[in-house]
Amino acid sequence: TEKTAMPGRSASIRETVLSLLRETALTSWELIKITVPVVILTKILEELGMITWLSILLEPVMGLVGLPGSLGLVWATAMLTSIYGGMAVFAALAPGLSLTGAQVTILCAMMLFAHSLPLELSISRRAGAAVLPIAILRVGGAILYAVLLDRLCRSLHLWQEPARLLFRTGEVERDLGVWVVDQIVNLGMIILVIFGIVVCMRILRALGVLSLFERLLGPILPVFGMSRQAAPLTVVGMVMGLSYGGALIIREACSGKLDRREIFYSMALMGICHSLVEDTLLMMAFGGRLGGIFWGRILFSLGIVFAIVRLVRTIEQRKTRIPTGTA
């Protein structure tokens, strides 16, 4: 019996490994398609001295959150492409900067709040949520959270030690060949991180951790203006990602089970707080601290959406209130 069971176990292990490798390869290919052009463009901008010019333009926003102006290019790239695009620019720029753990955490948080905006805002629009308010919420929320986190870290002297960078660094003055090797090594490190996250996600799913997380958040969300139909779907988006959660919301919205207001609340919360497991692991691998990119993000996001719900209800109550002195 043991002999017959061994080939079956071996086949199962082999299939699991192949599945992990396939998923890593597919994700990595999407990464490579974005990263290689972004890295090359960043190098060209650096050689032309455009990074310094862009840093000056972005200095006011980055200065608000205690970051060097050049890191504005990282966030801008993440917003227009994806987190991976931002990571590629960060890999090219970070070795030349002296960053603290707090600064890396703040940058990671900003990317988590606002990234892949062309794609993800289109998902919000298809679900029935107005694009402009969601865009303002995501970009404005990122800046506000980063300002608060910067002030908190400074006042408490939190994470002020030099950041530990995942990327390979060389001399400040590097020839093109060394730069190419460094970027290949950095890309390889990112792919290893992706593989590790794929494995972690499989383990967490098998252990039921993701389901537990959904059950913990589920009862809380009705307080934030969502019905029993919208709350579980929103939790799925928060845990697994906006694309998946948004697809479920789109399906329910088309069925007429959700009204426009709770669709907006759902997409607002998912917009600023989604993919809590996968993206958090990704940012932790790049030096972000868990307290800033996970717990702080959840509390801030819930607080913001709660404030929006209360504001809307207050406005509606004032509109429906009968003016004094009328018959």
Side-chain angles (χ1 to χ4, degrees):
T1 305
E2 291 182 2
K3 290 182 179 180
T4 56
M6 286 298 293
R9 261 201 301 269
S10 299
S12 177
I13 293 172
R14 191 184 311 113
E15 181 57 34
T16 300
V17 172
L18 289 175
S19 175
L20 290 170
L21 292 175
R22 278 195 298 269
E23 189 173 346
T24 302
L26 289 172
T27 305
S28 298
W29 173 240
E30 294 301 317
L31 161 70
I32 291 168
K33 287 193 297 185
I34 295 170
T35 298
V36 173
V38 166
V39 166
I40 293 173
L41 178 60
T42 303
K43 180 62 175 176
I44 292 171
L45 292 175
E46 186 180 15
E47 292 297 320
L48 293 176
M50 296 291 286
I51 295 293
T52 303
W53 181 72
L54 288 170
S55 299
I56 294 172
L57 289 179
L58 297 168
E59 184 71 41
V61 176
M62 293 295 102
L64 284 174
V65 300
L67 297 179
S70 59
L71 291 183
L73 186 61
V74 177
W75 188 38
T77 303
M79 285 192 287
L80 294 175
T81 59
S82 71
I83 283 181
Y84 294 121
M87 286 161 48
V89 178
F90 184 57
L93 297 179
L97 302 172
S98 299
L99 300 174
T100 65
Q103 288 176 310
V104 173
T105 300
I106 290 167
L107 179 64
C108 287
M110 294 181 77
M111 289 197 289
L112 288 171
F113 271 93
H115 61 265
S116 307
L117 291 184
L119 172 63
E120 294 185 350
L121 289 177
S122 70
I123 294 172
S124 297
R125 180 182 58 80
R126 288 176 57 204
V131 170
L132 184 58
I134 297 293
I136 293 172
L137 177 64
R138 294 189 64 175
V139 176
I143 296 173
L144 177 58
Y145 180 73
V147 169
L148 294 175
L149 186 59
D150 175 55
R151 301 299 184 271
L152 181 67
C153 290
R154 289 175 186 271
S155 61
L156 299 180
H157 301 286
L158 192 63
W159 308 323
Q160 296 301 311
E161 68 279 1
R164 295 179 180 178
L165 298 179
L166 179 70
F167 313 110
R168 178 171 176 174
T169 61
E171 300 297 328
V172 175
E173 296 294 334
R174 294 172 291 174
D175 61 35
L176 187 60
V178 174
W179 177 84
V180 170
V181 171
D182 284 353
Q183 299 313 307
I184 292 173
V185 171
N186 290 339
L187 187 59
M189 291 297 296
I190 295 173
I191 292 173
L192 285 176
V193 167
I194 291 172
F195 177 74
I197 290 172
V198 169
V199 173
C200 285
M201 289 292 288
R202 290 286 185 91
I203 294 172
L204 292 174
R205 194 175 289 116
L207 293 175
V209 174
L210 301 185
S211 299
L212 174 63
F213 199 36
E214 291 174 10
R215 288 197 298 272
L216 290 174
L217 281 172
I220 301 173
L221 294 188
V223 180
F224 299 88
M226 293 169 224
S227 65
R228 290 184 177 180
Q229 287 87 359
L233 305 178
T234 305
V235 172
V236 170
M238 291 176 69
V239 175
M240 300 301 295
L242 184 61
S243 297
Y244 188 56
L248 296 177
I249 291 292
I250 290 169
R251 187 184 66 191
E252 292 298 308
C254 293
S255 70
K257 295 179 181 178
L258 306 177
D259 63 42
R260 293 183 64 84
R261 187 173 296 126
E262 64 181 336
I263 290 172
F264 175 79
Y265 294 151
S266 175
M267 296 308 299
L269 184 54
M270 276 196 285
I272 57 178
C273 191
H274 63 265
S275 196
L276 281 170
V277 179
E278 187 172 356
D279 285 357
T280 299
L281 290 173
L282 190 62
M283 292 293 96
M284 283 181 65
F286 279 77
R289 302 304 176 88
L290 186 64
I293 62 176
F294 182 78
W295 296 113
R297 182 162 59 116
I298 291 176
L299 293 174
F300 178 83
S301 300
L302 291 174
I304 287 292
V305 175
F306 181 76
I308 292 173
V309 171
R310 296 294 298 176
L311 177 62
V312 170
R313 288 177 179 172
T314 301
I315 293 173
E316 289 178 345
Q317 288 172 0
R318 288 182 178 178
K319 284 183 178 179
T320 56
R321 189 178 302 160
I322 299 174
T324 58
T326 59

